[in-house]
Amino acid sequence: MKKHTYLVLGLLGFAALLTSCGNGNQGKGSSGALNSSNAEKVYVAPGEHDEFYAFMSGGYSGNLTVYGLPSGRMFKEIPVFSQFATSGYGYSEETKPMLNTSFGFVPWDDSHHPDISQTNGELDGRWIFINGNNTPRIARISLTTFETEEIIEVPNSAGNHSSSFITENTEYVVAGTRFSVPVPQADMPIKEYKGNFKGALSFISVDPEHGHMDIKFQILMPGFNYDLSHPGRGKSHGWFFFTTYNTEEANSLLEVNASQNDKDFIAAINWKKIEEYVNNGGGTKMPANYAHNVYDEHTHTATSVMRKEVLTVDPTKIPGAVFFLPTPKSPHGCDVDPSGEYIIGNGKLSADLTVHSFDKMIAAIEGKKFDGEAYGIPILKFEDVLAGTVKSGGLGPLHTEFDGEGNAYTTFFISSEVVMWKLGTWEVIDRKPTYYSVGHLMIPGGNSRKPFGKYVVAMNKITKDRYLPTGPELEHSAQLYDISGDKMELIYDFPTHGEPHYAAGIPAELLAPKSQKIYKLAENKHPYATLSPADARVVRDGKDVHIYMSTIRSHFTPDNIEGVKVGDKVYFHITNQEQDFDVPHGFAVIGANTSELLVMPGQTKTIIWEPKQVGVWPFYCTDFCSALHQEMQGYVRVSPADSNLELSWSLGE
Amino acid sequence: MKKHTYLVLGLLGFAALLTSCGNGNQGKGSSGALNSSNAEKVYVAPGEHDEFYAFMSGGYSGNLTVYGLPSGRMFKEIPVFSQFATSGYGYSEETKPMLNTSFGFVPWDDSHHPDISQTNGELDGRWIFINGNNTPRIARISLTTFETEEIIEVPNSAGNHSSSFITENTEYVVAGTRFSVPVPQADMPIKEYKGNFKGALSFISVDPEHGHMDIKFQILMPGFNYDLSHPGRGKSHGWFFFTTYNTEEANSLLEVNASQNDKDFIAAINWKKIEEYVNNGGGTKMPANYAHNVYDEHTHTATSVMRKEVLTVDPTKIPGAVFFLPTPKSPHGCDVDPSGEYIIGNGKLSADLTVHSFDKMIAAIEGKKFDGEAYGIPILKFEDVLAGTVKSGGLGPLHTEFDGEGNAYTTFFISSEVVMWKLGTWEVIDRKPTYYSVGHLMIPGGNSRKPFGKYVVAMNKITKDRYLPTGPELEHSAQLYDISGDKMELIYDFPTHGEPHYAAGIPAELLAPKSQKIYKLAENKHPYATLSPADARVVRDGKDVHIYMSTIRSHFTPDNIEGVKVGDKVYFHITNQEQDFDVPHGFAVIGANTSELLVMPGQTKTIIWEPKQVGVWPFYCTDFCSALHQEMQGYVRVSPADSNLELSWSLGE
């Protein structure tokens, strides 16, 4: 049994002590020969390029950010689950459907764990997936356009945290609930949680050609909290592993009440067995209501469809499909080494790491050596599946990745450090402090069969004095370690945007050559596209006015519009005629209750403007597009609601 | 007369040629001794701090970003005019009033020109101001909290571009319209623009103690476009200078039609004279309708008040107050050197820079040597006010700043370069390419009486191949030049977030020591604050349910709530009890049609949740706040609308 509250408070105090000590080691003016060589290691000179892409989750920004390594420079913020005024995502008519859910329009989410698509367990760089925690969703982002192409809501989930992780051939993106809830939802006393709530683990199939997602099945598990997960790989391909906490099934003050059991579980799921079961007609179709939102690259438009059914599976009905591996101290990280043999459970209130053996697990299952069951699911004996214990000397282990050279790297939140250790011998090889309170870490490819073990990025949760202060609210912070030598070497600090939790990295050479530069105008199938300035026009349909507008350096066609009336709903459909790389045009009109539009070459986007007052109102290009950008403007005349003025439009007349 | 379209197209072609050539100079693998020393110049080792803050406008992001120099690292994005899901700005009940306007709630704007408050013409680091272009507004941001504290709408303006620049003692923040419009607005044919539209230049007073803004007067100028502006300083303190273009008063195809006149004007405004005039009862009160939004630091809440009147001034009624200085080729930048003697007008379709002399201008005014008038405003003779011409050899000059050592630095958009030249002799000293198409530049303090001339930052509009590609949409890009030697030296490229147009820099030592760390709980006057967990409660008021909720590591009080019904409007008022630096808590609840809240220590924030379905729904902390952050969660039970269940709440029971 854990020692409850006092232990917990003690751990927090220890953390505070370590973080305040850490600072003293790093004073101003410590530069010298070492810093000079580190400077060269992280410096990417003008005209040169970084070696790796790092994709970092935005956490509470809801988005995904793209960094270069080793420079730590942020190249892009990709809007995913949150409205993004910069480009009009979630404001434009084309992208508003992306944020539709069964709860209506939801302009935000909490994005945690990006994972890059794989083929044979190696990064293939086609897509990156990320989870929305709060209103459970999974998004798929193209790594050709670096835009969000698809979002699927996850029903019966509530805190979509043990997500979004990819199986070895991207057969599935897996999404597990963090909070258990009544399934189906029901008005019931919260205190009846225990034994009545369920945790849904969703296996979402990914179409191999287009990447389209579809919920294949949901496993309705006992009412624990499901924290993180990873696929088996190599010999353990076909299995998926989830850490659990709150196996106590407490419904209040979890800080104390979910830290009572000495061991929680790692749930081992034989998804191939379940896939076979459902392919043979197993499972129960359950009424559901969840959004499936797809952005069409030809119409540049998203559509949202409500799905009405989901296939659920009772794990106790499929012998041999699900087992529990006892794992100490409320484990958080659940990581599988490149060989697929070792499953590392990081008990977040522990000093040691627990490493389970896949081979031993299979042997124990085959030998039916169970230690009872939980809600009908067999519990394996801890000793029977244990491969080894890493006596870390640290406190609060969270997440482990691998360098492909037989080494593992684990973050420790409470003792603020990264510990490097050896797979198989479990010996600690090196440890380096982090500033401060590190959460997850990332090695490019470090959770695949083929890691690129040159750098470790630590994602820290407390920034404090690392940078010039910016008032009470600070950016989060990452630290970059060179792991190309025998030991880890801290070489750089860089701030991170939003609250990055987790990251996925990939060598630049796997993505850069196929990065798309423009949208081809000839392939633009947007129903309101203006494919040539000669097609620009204004059309009235009752109180709706559709402006088919074209942009090219440096004018809008048309740029003088009359005949709009107060009470009209004016749709500006803007098509950018440019076909050169990096020549966007923007569009804004005074008083619009939405954002501007940033329209890339060949693209069409739409905003609605509802003029409230008569007058002559300007619009203009918001992107500094040419030497005559400031001249790229126009006017709309708005007449009274009862005016008889006919629509007219012109350019240069 | 300008040569119209063909010239224009020729210039664009030239730009394309230069930009594509530029790339060839910078190949991969060009590192060596030079790069090594540049690496050391920009490297800020872990634990060390940057030397300068750089505040960059977000352009179409609507926000303001904070960078460190020389590292180029982004420390914060401060939400100003745009909703920002990361912190809940523009989504929380407390901050929604900040985005109120006479057009209703406007969730976005186009932010261009930050300027730091000054005392005696030197940076004092109290506040930074920035303009919203699209729905004309000026914002004031605290440089203690790095949060937006006030936004005032600017009536009679339409494209608030020649803004927001500060007079020498922050007497005024000045906001000039870019587009002229009917004043007051009227339903009239667009082609009647010429002679009928007006351009309003607004002088907004700044309260010296709290910084509160109030429109003192608006000058109703002829219907030109007002592009940029700067205050006089030193001997020219009391004057303000605005570049104009489209003195042709064209209303369509400005690309061609506003490039006809060989010279447009710089408008010289003697604001002290106008201030005296209005203090003596001059000017005309005009009905208006504009929002004034103020964030109260004690209640943590913004209020929006509609103002109903503005004082306008007819410049022809005040002899000696306004003059026009002819300036070639559609000038953009309008910059005043540290001594206040030189006013530099950068004709954006020109090769040369025009430098006017303040002393000569005064002499010409006193000698009444006019060259006619425009709409009753005297035009000075070009030759009488000309101090000199910089024969730059470049094309498309945009913006000039100063190093305080007698040198000026001008960006050239078309020829993609920064040119360094000497004040007084007008000789070109150095030139360095930019990659690509530079807009504005910044030297910390470089538009004040006391520049800190160590670095120049060039803000480029085209990024193309500078970084690893990220699909069709790229971040913008800055380049950093070391100007501590005799020549400029390009030392770094760094991406910039949004579309930075303009920047303001300041030495770190002027801001860092006074940066606020927490909000004191004892000073929290939020009407729905929960100042102690013992005060946490849930109160029903008809269909409104107010949850007074407290957060501290690692639980919410209360964390189990029952008695909420479908159809209720639930207000979560979250107070963060922490009083340590950098310990925010976040709050999110499933299905909310708004963002999460990021609540800093001592702060209270509110979101509304309107549950649509019965069930037991989770909420949780969105900021990784402690080792037991994952345990920081709770549930709300939602019963049917006609349920008789009474409200109840608890923690740990």
Side-chain angles (χ1 to χ4, degrees), chain A residues 374-553:
Chain A
Y375 294 105
I377 295 172
I379 301 171
L380 299 168
K381 284 189 187 158
F382 179 67
E383 296 73 17
D384 288 345
V385 294
L386 187 72
T389 299
V390 181
K391 301 283 182 190
S392 73
L395 205 53
L398 278 188
H399 179 210
T400 303
E401 291 211 342
F402 310 92
D403 65 6
E405 308 284 333
N407 302 306
Y409 300 74
T410 302
T411 52
F412 287 75
F413 179 86
I414 297 174
S415 53
S416 272
E417 59 187 333
V418 179
V419 172
M420 175 186 179
W421 52 276
K422 198 156 192 66
L423 285 161
T425 71
W426 324 123
E427 68 186 308
V428 170
I429 296 169
D430 192 21
R431 61 194 327 130
K432 284 289 186 305
T434 60
Y435 306 97
Y436 308 97
S437 299
V438 61
H440 292 275
L441 54 67
M442 185 274 282
I443 293 169
N447 71 354
S448 75
R449 293 180 72 176
K450 186 180 173 185
F452 302 86
K454 184 166 180 183
Y455 300 111
V456 163
V457 179
M459 283 161 271
N460 302 321
K461 311 319 289 180
I462 294 182
T463 304
K464 286 204 296 193
D465 51 19
R466 302 309 291 170
Y467 310 108
L468 292 177
T470 57
E473 190 185 324
L474 307 174
E475 286 282 37
H476 282 220
S477 182
Q479 292 187 290
L480 184 70
Y481 299 83
D482 179 351
I483 57 167
S484 61
D486 292 339
K487 301 276 184 177
M488 304 166 61
E489 191 178 352
L490 172 61
I491 57 176
Y492 202 46
D493 276 29
F494 60 96
T496 52
H497 201 43
E499 187 220 8
H501 278 264
Y502 202 93
I506 184 168
E509 65 196 20
L510 295 182
L511 291 193
K514 68 187 183 74
S515 183
Q516 187 170 321
K517 291 188 164 57
I518 63 165
Y519 298 93
K520 286 183 189 156
L521 201 55
E523 295 174 3
N524 181 332
K525 303 295 180 203
H526 192 294
Y528 292 97
T530 305
L531 297 182
S532 150
D535 298 332
R537 62 199 185 277
V538 184
V539 176
R540 177 177 287 283
D541 176 13
K543 286 191 171 297
D544 290 349
V545 175
H546 291 276
I547 301 177
Y548 294 73
M549 184 174 276
S550 102
T551 67
I552 197 160
R553 282 165 289 183

Side-chain angles (χ1 to χ4, degrees), chain B residues 9-23:
Chain B
L9 294 176
L11 293 177
L12 293 174
F14 183 39
L17 186 69
L18 281 163
T19 52
S20 48
C21 287
N23 182 33

Side-chain angles (χ1 to χ4, degrees), chain B residues 40-257:
Chain B
E40 289 173 49
K41 280 182 182 171
V42 301
Y43 184 66
V44 176
E48 299 186 359
H49 285 175
D50 279 277
E51 189 176 349
F52 294 96
Y53 286 92
F55 295 88
M56 294 200 182
S57 66
Y60 47 59
S61 85
N63 295 333
L64 180 70
T65 49
V66 187
Y67 287 79
L69 298 181
S71 74
R73 297 176 297 182
M74 187 175 82
F75 298 144
K76 189 171 187 174
E77 180 171 2
I78 302 173
V80 183
F81 295 112
S82 295
Q83 287 184 301
F84 194 59
T86 298
S87 65
Y89 181 87
Y91 293 98
S92 72
E93 294 304 298
E94 290 81 1
T95 54
K96 274 162 41 179
M98 291 299 278
L99 302 183
N100 189 43
T101 75
S102 65
F103 299 91
F105 183 78
V106 173
W108 169 84
D109 215 312
D110 179 22
S111 64
H112 268 240
H113 310 117
D115 208 9
I116 295 169
S117 57
Q118 299 187 2
T119 300
N120 294 323
E122 298 182 12
L123 304 178
D124 65 19
R126 301 180 69 191
W127 306 296
I128 188 164
F129 297 83
I130 193 165
N131 57 323
N133 278 321
N134 184 53
T135 302
R137 288 172 284 177
I138 298 289
R140 179 177 56 81
I141 294 121
S142 161
L143 289 179
T144 306
T145 62
F146 290 66
E147 299 289 344
T148 304
E149 289 190 332
E150 187 176 4
I151 293 179
I152 193 165
E153 192 178 353
V154 184
N156 298 327
S157 180
N160 175 35
H161 193 274
S162 42
S163 321
S164 51
F165 299 101
I166 308 297
T167 57
E168 187 156 298
N169 290 298
T170 319
E171 296 94 338
Y172 294 99
V173 51
V174 174
T177 198
R178 174 167 150 208
F179 310 115
S180 285
V181 287
V183 177
Q185 270 287 9
D187 175 28
M188 60 185 287
I190 301 169
K191 66 175 61 147
E192 292 179 13
Y193 175 144
K194 192 165 188 168
N196 290 312
F197 284 25
K198 292 286 181 192
L201 307 180
S202 303
F203 282 69
I204 300 169
S205 62
V206 179
D207 173 78
E209 189 176 355
H210 297 291
H212 290 159
M213 298 185 287
D214 191 25
I215 300 177
K216 178 87 171 182
F217 56 86
Q218 288 192 317
I219 310 170
L220 296 184
M221 296 284 286
F224 309 151
N225 286 37
Y226 295 84
D227 203 359
L228 279 167
S229 68
H230 262 101
R233 52 181 64 103
K235 61 180 166 183
S236 55
H237 177 55
W239 288 80
F240 225 95
F241 304 95
F242 294 80
T243 40
T244 69
Y245 67 104
N246 193 24
T247 53
E248 298 88 346
E249 295 177 82
N251 60 282
S252 183
L253 198 61
L254 267 63
E255 176 183 16
V256 175
N257 295 323

Side-chain angles (χ1 to χ4, degrees), chain B residues 18-37:
Chain B
L18 281 163
T19 52
S20 48
C21 287
N23 182 33
N25 301 335
Q26 299 279 336
K28 208 165 156 61
S30 68
S31 42
L34 186 65
N35 279 346
S36 162
S37 77

Side-chain angles (χ1 to χ4, degrees), chain A residues 43 227 252 469 491 559 630 652, chain B residues 43 53 227 252 491 559 630 652:
Chain A
Y43 185 66
D227 204 359
S252 182
I491 57 176
D559 72 355
Q630 285 295 81
Chain B
Y43 184 66
Y53 286 92
D227 203 359
S252 183
I491 57 176
D559 73 356
Q630 285 294 83

Side-chain angles (χ1 to χ4, degrees), chain B residues 177-409:
Chain B
T177 198
R178 174 167 150 208
F179 310 115
S180 285
V181 287
V183 177
Q185 270 287 9
D187 175 28
M188 60 185 287
I190 301 169
K191 66 175 61 147
E192 292 179 13
Y193 175 144
K194 192 165 188 168
N196 290 312
F197 284 25
K198 292 286 181 192
L201 307 180
S202 303
F203 282 69
I204 300 169
S205 62
V206 179
D207 173 78
E209 189 176 355
H210 297 291
H212 290 159
M213 298 185 287
D214 191 25
I215 300 177
K216 178 87 171 182
F217 56 86
Q218 288 192 317
I219 310 170
L220 296 184
M221 296 284 286
F224 309 151
N225 286 37
Y226 295 84
D227 203 359
L228 279 167
S229 68
H230 262 101
R233 52 181 64 103
K235 61 180 166 183
S236 55
H237 177 55
W239 288 80
F240 225 95
F241 304 95
F242 294 80
T243 40
T244 69
Y245 67 104
N246 193 24
T247 53
E248 298 88 346
E249 295 177 82
N251 60 282
S252 183
L253 198 61
L254 267 63
E255 176 183 16
V256 175
N257 295 323
S259 303
Q260 300 302 309
N261 291 344
D262 184 56
K263 294 189 179 69
D264 296 285
F265 301 124
I266 285 178
I269 311 274
N270 185 334
W271 60 261
K272 283 221 169 165
K273 193 177 277 278
I274 300 175
E275 181 186 60
E276 187 185 344
Y277 170 78
V278 303
N279 283 346
N280 289 323
T284 304
K285 286 182 181 165
M286 180 179 160
N289 187 35
Y290 58 102
H292 185 201
N293 311 329
V294 180
Y295 182 83
D296 183 299
E297 62 185 300
H298 299 296
T299 62
H300 307 178
T301 302
T303 50
S304 178
V305 173
M306 297 309 297
R307 309 287 294 270
K308 295 298 183 185
E309 201 174 63
V310 68
L311 183 66
T312 60
V313 168
D314 175 350
T316 64
K317 299 279 175 62
I318 318 169
V322 182
F323 300 90
F324 284 137
L325 284 62
T327 305
K329 307 266 181 216
S330 300
H332 189 64
C334 184
D335 302 296
V336 180
D337 86 306
S339 75
E341 164 62 8
Y342 298 122
I343 304 118
I344 292 113
N346 294 340
K348 66 179 180 261
L349 297 176
S350 171
D352 299 337
L353 309 184
T354 299
V355 184
H356 298 298
S357 157
F358 179 73
D359 288 343
K360 290 175 102 173
M361 181 190 89
I362 294 297
I365 291 169
E366 287 173 352
K368 297 191 190 302
K369 296 173 74 178
F370 302 135
D371 191 13
E373 60 176 43
Y375 294 105
I377 294 172
I379 302 171
L380 298 169
K381 285 187 184 158
F382 179 68
E383 297 74 17
D384 288 346
V385 295
L386 187 71
T389 299
V390 181
K391 300 284 183 190
S392 73
L395 205 52
L398 277 188
H399 178 210
T400 304
E401 291 211 343
F402 310 92
D403 65 6
E405 309 284 334
N407 301 307
Y409 300 76

